[in-house]
Amino acid sequence: MTAPLIDPFQRAITYLRVSVTDRCDFRCVYCMAENMQFLPKKELLTLEELDRMCSTFVKLGVEKLRITGGEPLVRRGIMTFFQSMSRHLETGALKELTLTTNGSQLEKYAKDLYAAGVRRVNVSLDTLDDEKFARVTRWGRLPQVLRGIDAAKAAGLRVKLNAVALKEFNEDELISMTQWCAENDMDLTWIEVMPMGDLGNEDRIGQYWALSELRKTLAEHYTLTDLAERTGGPARYVKLEETGQKIGFITPLTHNFCESCNRVRLTCTGELFMCLGQEDNADLRKPLRDFPNEEFQLEKAIRNAISHKPKGHDFDYSRQSISGQMTRHMSHTGG
Ligand code: SAM
Ligand code: SF4
């Protein structure tokens, strides 16, 4: 038996989020600059390397893989990676294979994703207004994403929406988006905006909207019941009694969720970030490339990295300035 991954605070690491590309067909204002410099191809893990890396994590006890980016579905050949990962679902070692996507390519890939064993997708969508959507994503077009969501549902995928809460941007859509999700049988999770990307440079986009405020407004329209459900991450859920749908709140900045953290993040270059709010990372690409036939070297490097997983993160909005501002972009660590 291989010993599972347990960090110094007795947290079992069972969830790996993998960024498979830093590229994207959108340029969301809170995530990227308009003129992004992307990484040279040789820096990226190849699809085969991603396979070896993820398979090693699965061997060490990771049960849930979330593929993200950048936009994961713009990585060339990514479907072969999904197809290949499905073997771990078949053995039962992997319990869930899923992805977070902007939805632009779902129309093309929904069926293939289902065939590879994916059953749920998170689609990021901050507004249902064409013009606002174009403004916040800079390059995105809403109808394409809506067609993607339809295709995902038609293929049998359960869709959850993720929306970044932005004051004076989508504040006025709280109820209409909730209703739209209820009509389309989708759960909805609101994410508190984190100090990354090009915030502040865009007119009236990117301002912090505390989810406690959002929740208060929601409670004026619906009966909220707190759910005990925990996913080991920063999300907390309520049920809306009137619609039966689940609404999530991801508040990495105002709540300390670190004690139950079960996850680590792999970038597309093979760096392992043990905590979203800390710069500390381990280079796993080197052992992967240096020892193509000695799997234990990669395992050793992974165990060593996990033994350095910090207790908690550094973000802090409660002070007037943002003290934990991250220098890297969200598209690098995958959100
Ligand atoms: N491109 C895919 C997408 O948009 O879903 C996957 C990658 S994206 C980096 C993952 C998630 O991070 C998205 O839901 C996005 O809204 C969120 N995100 C990006 N920048 C953020 C920020 N500064 N604060 C909070 N969430 C952010
Ligand atoms: Fe692309 Fe997702 Fe970042 Fe938007 S949030 S720019 S879709 S990676």
Side-chain angles (χ1 to χ4, degrees):
M1 264 294 280
T2 315
L5 294 171
I6 307 283
D7 82 357
F9 304 96
Q10 298 309 309
R11 297 170 296 194
I13 306 306
T14 54
Y15 181 9
L16 177 68
R17 298 171 76 104
V18 185
S19 171
V20 294
T21 178
D22 60 334
R23 285 161 203 262
C24 187
D25 50 349
F26 292 1
R27 292 288 182 278
C28 302
V29 295
Y30 45 72
C31 180
M32 291 195 181
E34 180 135 35
N35 298 308
M36 288 290 286
Q37 278 282 349
F38 292 111
L39 294 161
K41 200 168 164 222
K42 67 174 187 339
E43 296 285 321
L44 298 194
L45 298 183
T46 64
L47 292 175
E48 292 72 25
E49 287 172 336
L50 278 168
D51 189 323
R52 268 183 70 206
M53 192 74 91
C54 292
S55 299
T56 305
F57 272 97
V58 170
K59 183 180 167 198
L60 298 180
V62 160
E63 296 179 337
K64 177 170 174 180
L65 269 184
R66 178 175 294 280
I67 309 306
T68 175
E71 173 47 42
L73 297 180
V74 301
R75 170 102 196 230
R76 189 170 303 160
I78 195 64
M79 270 321 129
T80 59
F81 171 77
F82 277 101
Q83 281 149 12
S84 170
M85 283 300 107
S86 70
R87 72 186 188 274
H88 300 305
L89 289 170
E90 281 156 24
T91 65
L94 190 62
K95 305 273 186 292
E96 185 168 36
L97 175 62
T98 184
L99 70 153
T100 301
T101 173
N102 65 23
S104 69
Q105 308 302 312
L106 274 179
E107 195 175 15
K108 192 163 152 197
Y109 291 129
K111 279 191 189 144
D112 294 343
L113 287 168
Y114 189 90
V118 175
R119 292 294 175 264
R120 300 194 299 170
V121 290
N122 286 2
V123 178
S124 304
L125 180 60
D126 304 328
T127 171
L128 291 169
D129 178 281
D130 281 326
E131 182 276 323
K132 278 158 77 176
F133 186 83
R135 199 145 51 93
V136 75
T137 62
R138 291 199 188 102
W139 294 6
R141 295 295 167 261
L142 182 62
Q144 187 181 348
V145 173
L146 297 181
R147 286 200 305 274
I149 291 175
D150 285 344
K153 288 171 65 185
L157 298 169
R158 179 119 190 110
V159 178
K160 191 190 86 181
L161 235 58
N162 282 344
V164 175
L166 297 163
K167 206 168 184 71
E168 293 171 31
F169 178 75
N170 54 12
E171 241 179 325
D172 58 338
E173 290 186 77
L174 174 61
I175 304 305
S176 54
M177 280 179 71
T178 306
Q179 275 167 357
W180 187 76
C181 286
E183 283 156 21
N184 288 282
D185 189 26
M186 292 188 292
D187 293 326
L188 169 63
T189 290
W190 291 93
I191 310 174
E192 210 164 61
V193 71
M194 289 194 261
M196 295 172 167
D198 248 7
L199 298 180
N201 298 340
E202 294 291 318
D203 187 28
R204 287 155 60 80
I205 300 184
Q207 297 179 52
Y208 177 64
W209 176 18
L211 295 197
S212 51
E213 268 180 54
L214 186 156
R215 190 190 153 121
K216 222 182 277 171
T217 312
L218 203 61
E220 288 165 11
H221 294 79
Y222 299 96
T223 315
L224 275 49
T225 305
D226 283 305
L227 297 176
E229 183 177 329
R230 297 283 185 270
T231 54
R236 294 293 175 265
Y237 298 95
V238 297
K239 187 173 144 198
L240 303 188
E241 293 302 336
E242 289 79 0
T243 63
Q245 89 208 101
K246 214 165 66 174
I247 304 289
F249 304 100
I250 300 187
T251 53
L253 306 165
T254 50
H255 279 264
N256 193 336
F257 57 89
C258 305
E259 63 285 346
S260 59
C261 184
N262 61 355
R263 60 200 57 195
V264 287
R265 295 174 162 81
L266 185 75
T267 69
C268 53
T269 56
E271 296 162 299
L272 190 72
F273 280 85
M274 273 65 78
C275 172
L276 183 62
Q278 301 262 6
E279 295 287 1
D280 192 31
N281 67 82
D283 175 16
L284 296 182
R285 188 180 62 189
K286 189 166 165 40
L288 185 83
R289 287 192 177 164
D290 286 357
F291 304 101
N293 300 312
E294 294 173 55
E295 228 41 67
F296 74 94
Q297 296 283 2
L298 177 60
E299 291 182 26
K300 196 169 86 182
I302 293 173
R303 287 192 189 285
N304 185 42
I306 300 297
S307 77
H308 290 102
K309 185 167 161 66
K311 193 168 178 198
H313 60 69
D314 273 348
F315 286 124
D316 190 358
Y317 262 131
S318 59
R319 300 179 205 157
Q320 284 309 304
S321 65
I322 298 168
S323 63
Q325 178 112 23
M326 304 299 299
T327 48
R328 64 181 192 267
H329 283 268
M330 196 73 151
S331 53
H332 189 60
T333 33

